[in-house]
PDB file of all heavy atoms in Angstrom:
ATOM      1  N   PRO A   5     -72.950  29.010   3.709  1.00 54.00           N
ATOM      2  CA  PRO A   5     -73.459  30.167   2.966  1.00 54.00           C
ATOM      3  C   PRO A   5     -73.771  31.327   3.901  1.00 54.00           C
ATOM      4  O   PRO A   5     -74.101  31.140   5.056  1.00 54.00           O
ATOM      5  CB  PRO A   5     -74.716  29.636   2.291  1.00 54.00           C
ATOM      6  CG  PRO A   5     -75.088  28.406   3.032  1.00 54.00           C
ATOM      7  CD  PRO A   5     -73.853  27.881   3.688  1.00 54.00           C
ATOM      8  N   HIS A   6     -73.627  32.520   3.357  1.00 52.00           N
ATOM      9  CA  HIS A   6     -73.996  33.723   4.093  1.00 52.00           C
ATOM     10  C   HIS A   6     -75.511  33.870   4.071  1.00 52.00           C
ATOM     11  O   HIS A   6     -76.232  33.074   3.482  1.00 52.00           O
ATOM     12  CB  HIS A   6     -73.341  34.956   3.446  1.00 52.00           C
ATOM     13  CG  HIS A   6     -71.854  34.930   3.571  1.00 52.00           C
ATOM     14  ND1 HIS A   6     -71.204  35.357   4.691  1.00 52.00           N
ATOM     15  CD2 HIS A   6     -70.886  34.510   2.711  1.00 52.00           C
ATOM     16  CE1 HIS A   6     -69.910  35.236   4.534  1.00 52.00           C
ATOM     17  NE2 HIS A   6     -69.690  34.709   3.329  1.00 52.00           N
ATOM     18  N   ARG A   7     -75.986  34.930   4.674  1.00 54.00           N
ATOM     19  CA  ARG A   7     -77.428  35.148   4.682  1.00 54.00           C
ATOM     20  C   ARG A   7     -78.003  35.222   3.281  1.00 54.00           C
ATOM     21  O   ARG A   7     -79.141  34.870   3.055  1.00 54.00           O
ATOM     22  CB  ARG A   7     -77.754  36.439   5.424  1.00 54.00           C
ATOM     23  CG  ARG A   7     -77.681  36.274   6.916  1.00 54.00           C
ATOM     24  CD  ARG A   7     -78.150  37.513   7.589  1.00 54.00           C
ATOM     25  NE  ARG A   7     -76.987  38.083   8.269  1.00 54.00           N
ATOM     26  CZ  ARG A   7     -76.884  39.307   8.686  1.00 54.00           C
ATOM     27  NH1 ARG A   7     -77.853  40.155   8.484  1.00 54.00           N
ATOM     28  NH2 ARG A   7     -75.817  39.715   9.302  1.00 54.00           N
ATOM     29  N   SER A   8     -77.215  35.672   2.346  1.00 54.00           N
ATOM     30  CA  SER A   8     -77.725  35.784   0.982  1.00 54.00           C
ATOM     31  C   SER A   8     -77.756  34.432   0.284  1.00 54.00           C
ATOM     32  O   SER A   8     -78.271  34.314  -0.811  1.00 54.00           O
ATOM     33  CB  SER A   8     -76.874  36.760   0.176  1.00 54.00           C
ATOM     34  OG  SER A   8     -75.564  36.242   0.055  1.00 54.00           O
ATOM     35  N   GLY A   9     -77.176  33.410   0.899  1.00 51.00           N
ATOM     36  CA  GLY A   9     -77.199  32.082   0.308  1.00 51.00           C
ATOM     37  C   GLY A   9     -76.012  31.808  -0.592  1.00 51.00           C
ATOM     38  O   GLY A   9     -75.921  30.734  -1.170  1.00 51.00           O
ATOM     39  N   ARG A  10     -75.078  32.769  -0.716  1.00 52.00           N
ATOM     40  CA  ARG A  10     -73.919  32.553  -1.584  1.00 52.00           C
ATOM     41  C   ARG A  10     -72.738  32.052  -0.765  1.00 52.00           C
ATOM     42  O   ARG A  10     -72.646  32.297   0.434  1.00 52.00           O
ATOM     43  CB  ARG A  10     -73.530  33.852  -2.273  1.00 52.00           C
ATOM     44  CG  ARG A  10     -74.638  34.326  -3.185  1.00 52.00           C
ATOM     45  CD  ARG A  10     -74.240  35.477  -4.039  1.00 52.00           C
ATOM     46  NE  ARG A  10     -73.352  36.432  -3.384  1.00 52.00           N
ATOM     47  CZ  ARG A  10     -73.091  37.626  -3.866  1.00 52.00           C
ATOM     48  NH1 ARG A  10     -73.659  38.010  -4.976  1.00 52.00           N
ATOM     49  NH2 ARG A  10     -72.270  38.421  -3.242  1.00 52.00           N
ATOM     50  N   ALA A  11     -71.836  31.355  -1.417  1.00 52.00           N
ATOM     51  CA  ALA A  11     -70.636  30.832  -0.746  1.00 52.00           C
ATOM     52  C   ALA A  11     -69.711  31.991  -0.404  1.00 52.00           C
ATOM     53  O   ALA A  11     -69.837  33.096  -0.919  1.00 52.00           O
ATOM     54  CB  ALA A  11     -69.925  29.835  -1.646  1.00 52.00           C
ATOM     55  N   ASP A  12     -68.775  31.736   0.492  1.00 52.00           N
ATOM     56  CA  ASP A  12     -67.797  32.732   0.895  1.00 52.00           C
ATOM     57  C   ASP A  12     -67.015  33.198  -0.335  1.00 52.00           C
ATOM     58  O   ASP A  12     -66.687  32.414  -1.223  1.00 52.00           O
ATOM     59  CB  ASP A  12     -66.852  32.105   1.931  1.00 52.00           C
ATOM     60  CG  ASP A  12     -65.941  33.128   2.566  1.00 52.00           C
ATOM     61  OD1 ASP A  12     -66.244  34.332   2.462  1.00 52.00           O
ATOM     62  OD2 ASP A  12     -64.945  32.705   3.168  1.00 52.00           O
ATOM     63  N   GLU A  13     -66.669  34.487  -0.370  1.00 52.00           N
ATOM     64  CA  GLU A  13     -65.993  35.040  -1.536  1.00 52.00           C
ATOM     65  C   GLU A  13     -64.624  34.426  -1.758  1.00 52.00           C
ATOM     66  O   GLU A  13     -64.129  34.382  -2.869  1.00 52.00           O
ATOM     67  CB  GLU A  13     -65.855  36.555  -1.386  1.00 52.00           C
ATOM     68  CG  GLU A  13     -67.142  37.276  -1.569  1.00 52.00           C
ATOM     69  CD  GLU A  13     -66.936  38.776  -1.563  1.00 52.00           C
ATOM     70  OE1 GLU A  13     -65.855  39.230  -1.974  1.00 52.00           O
ATOM     71  OE2 GLU A  13     -67.862  39.476  -1.157  1.00 52.00           O
TER      72      GLU A  13
END
Side-chain angles (χ1 to χ4, degrees):
H6 294 277
R7 282 186 246 162
S8 64
R10 296 189 323 193
D12 189 17
E13 287 186 30

